């Protein structure tokens, strides 16, 4: 009888390439970003300003990674997916996460996840403004510029710092955003809007936030989720359920254990976009 063994792949070399690619996309987008004050003189509208940078970033990432691994499919936020032969591996990329921040000259991130089946097997998340590179491989830990990350051990509610996103023009698409602030605010220490879901998750992994919650897209958060899990944090949807739910709905709590318990208790009954 013939026996087929599925060999575990090492993704270390792949991650090196992801990091180099994220740095290149960072340098490219920074060139656009530095000109954000041109928006005041109306050379371009905000949508064109950010979409030029977004699209160039995605093309750079796609060309570089697909050039190296031509059989792996590619899913980015800007262009239709490119399907390839390998049934298991695919890239999941957000070429600029935090587009409103970008328009306003504030921190944004570039997120590159490699998915194998339904697992993220390597992730690189880069903030070009602060030059912070977050990386993770399952079972090997999460790192920022090579330094091992641990989530905050803070269990005192009065010192919780909780991140979220706050829609402004498209409120009808995100019902309940302001009620949620009201539901969680007392007696926690702080609410912060970092302006990039990916960066918010990275901040949880390194302890700048004790937790983060939002209804957002999985391509924004795939790498951040892996970083937090590898840094000892907890990731579920708002009712404590796992990836089979939150990867579809994006209704996420990403936090240390104590903040996670607090958010589960306080978010369960507030309005949200995705049905429970
Ligand atoms: C958005 C940002 C924002 C978050 C939204 C995301 P985009 O992603 O991460 O901080 O609040 O939920 O959709 O549109 O900038 O890629």
């Amino acid at each position: 009888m013939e026996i087929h063994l599925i060999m575990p792949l090492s993704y270390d070399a792949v991650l090196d390439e992801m990091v180099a690619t994220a740095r290149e996309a960072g340098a490219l987008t920074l060139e656009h970003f530095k000109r954000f004050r041109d928006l005041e003189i109306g050379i371009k509208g905000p949508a064109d300003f950010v979409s030029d940078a977004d699209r160039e970033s995605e093309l750079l990432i796609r060309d570089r990674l697909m050039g190296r691994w031509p059989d792996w499919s590619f899913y980015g936020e800007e262009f239709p997916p490119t399907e390839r032969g390998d049934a298991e591996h695919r890239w999941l990329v957000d070429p600029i996460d935090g587009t409103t921040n970008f328009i306003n000259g504030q921190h944004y991130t570039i997120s590159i996840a490699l998915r194998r089946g339904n697992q993220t097997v390597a992730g690189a998340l880069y903030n070009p403004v602060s030059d912070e590179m977050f990386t993770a491989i399952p079972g090997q830990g999460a790192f920022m510029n090579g330094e091992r990350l641990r989530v905050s051990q803070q269990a005192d509610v009065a010192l919780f710092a909780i991140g979220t996103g706050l829609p402004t023009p498209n409120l009808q698409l995100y019902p309940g955003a302001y009620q949620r602030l009201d539901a969680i605010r007392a007696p926690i220490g702080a609410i912060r809007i970092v302006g990039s879901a990916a960066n918010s998750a990275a901040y949880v992994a390194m302890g700048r936030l004790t937790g983060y919650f939002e209804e957002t897209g999985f391509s924004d958060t795939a790498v951040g989720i892996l970083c937090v899990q590898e840094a000892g944090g907890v990731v579920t949807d708002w009712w404590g359920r796992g990836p089979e739910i939150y990867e579809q709905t994006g209704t996420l709590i990403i936090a240390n254990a104590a903040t996670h318990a607090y958010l589960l208790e306080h978010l369960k009954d507030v309005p949200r976009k995705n049905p429970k």
Side-chain angles (χ1 to χ4, degrees):
M1 187 175 65
E2 216 183 320
I3 298 176
H4 294 281
L5 291 177
I6 298 177
M7 296 302 290
L9 290 174
S10 164
Y11 292 102
D12 296 286
V14 182
L15 184 60
D16 289 344
E17 187 73 18
M18 293 161 72
V19 164
T21 305
R23 280 196 192 287
E24 262 190 47
L28 180 152
T29 51
L30 269 180
E31 288 309 309
H32 291 269
F33 173 83
K34 285 180 201 152
R35 297 196 294 269
F36 82 98
R37 297 211 61 173
D38 286 354
L39 289 169
E40 291 166 32
I41 48 177
I43 291 173
K44 275 183 192 174
D48 289 335
F49 178 76
V50 72
S51 94
D52 284 354
D54 237 342
R55 294 162 76 87
E56 285 177 30
S57 176
E58 184 163 319
L59 288 177
L60 181 153
I61 296 167
R62 190 178 75 184
D63 289 352
R64 186 158 170 164
L65 296 178
M66 293 197 76
R68 185 84 162 68
W69 291 279
D71 284 343
W72 296 355
S73 300
F74 188 98
Y75 292 72
E77 285 202 341
E78 295 303 306
F79 295 98
T82 310
E83 304 281 357
R84 286 291 153 83
D86 185 316
E88 288 204 311
H89 288 91
R90 69 190 170 96
W91 301 105
L92 188 60
V93 169
D94 190 350
I96 293 182
D97 184 56
T99 47
T100 305
N101 271 12
F102 189 88
I103 291 165
N104 289 287
Q106 298 183 38
H107 292 230
Y108 64 97
T109 48
I110 291 161
S111 180
I112 305 178
L114 177 61
R115 302 275 291 171
R116 185 179 186 189
N118 57 8
Q119 305 278 312
T120 303
V121 289
L125 172 54
Y126 186 46
N127 176 338
V129 183
S130 57
D131 191 21
E132 291 177 331
M133 177 70 73
F134 299 88
T135 53
I137 287 180
Q140 294 186 22
F143 298 84
M144 195 268 280
N145 294 347
E147 203 170 301
R148 182 97 191 225
L149 302 179
R150 297 297 303 164
V151 296
S152 162
Q153 300 305 299
Q154 187 57 259
D156 179 349
V157 179
L159 293 174
F160 286 173
I162 298 180
T164 189
L166 202 55
T168 38
N170 49 358
L171 271 184
Q172 67 292 356
L173 295 178
Y174 297 93
Y178 289 84
Q179 287 100 307
R180 296 202 278 274
L181 296 185
D182 209 24
I184 68 152
R185 81 186 143 78
I188 67 165
I191 294 175
R192 288 290 176 270
I193 294 162
V194 172
S196 151
N199 212 17
S200 307
Y203 280 9
V204 175
M206 71 189 302
R208 285 181 186 155
L209 293 172
T210 59
Y212 161 77
F213 71 95
E214 198 176 344
E215 286 190 280
T216 188
F218 185 60
S219 56
D220 301 358
T221 48
V223 178
I225 286 172
L226 177 60
C227 288
V228 171
Q229 288 167 330
E230 288 295 311
V234 189
V235 182
T236 68
D237 84 343
W238 295 1
W239 297 275
R241 299 173 300 188
E244 68 288 353
I245 306 291
Y246 67 64
E247 289 183 10
Q248 307 306 319
T249 63
T251 309
L252 276 167
I253 299 177
I254 299 177
N256 74 1
T259 311
H260 182 264
Y262 178 87
L263 287 172
L264 270 187
E265 180 54 30
H266 288 77
L267 289 174
K268 60 183 185 330
D269 297 325
V270 293
R272 68 267 162 190
K273 175 178 56 174
N274 286 304
K276 189 172 167 184

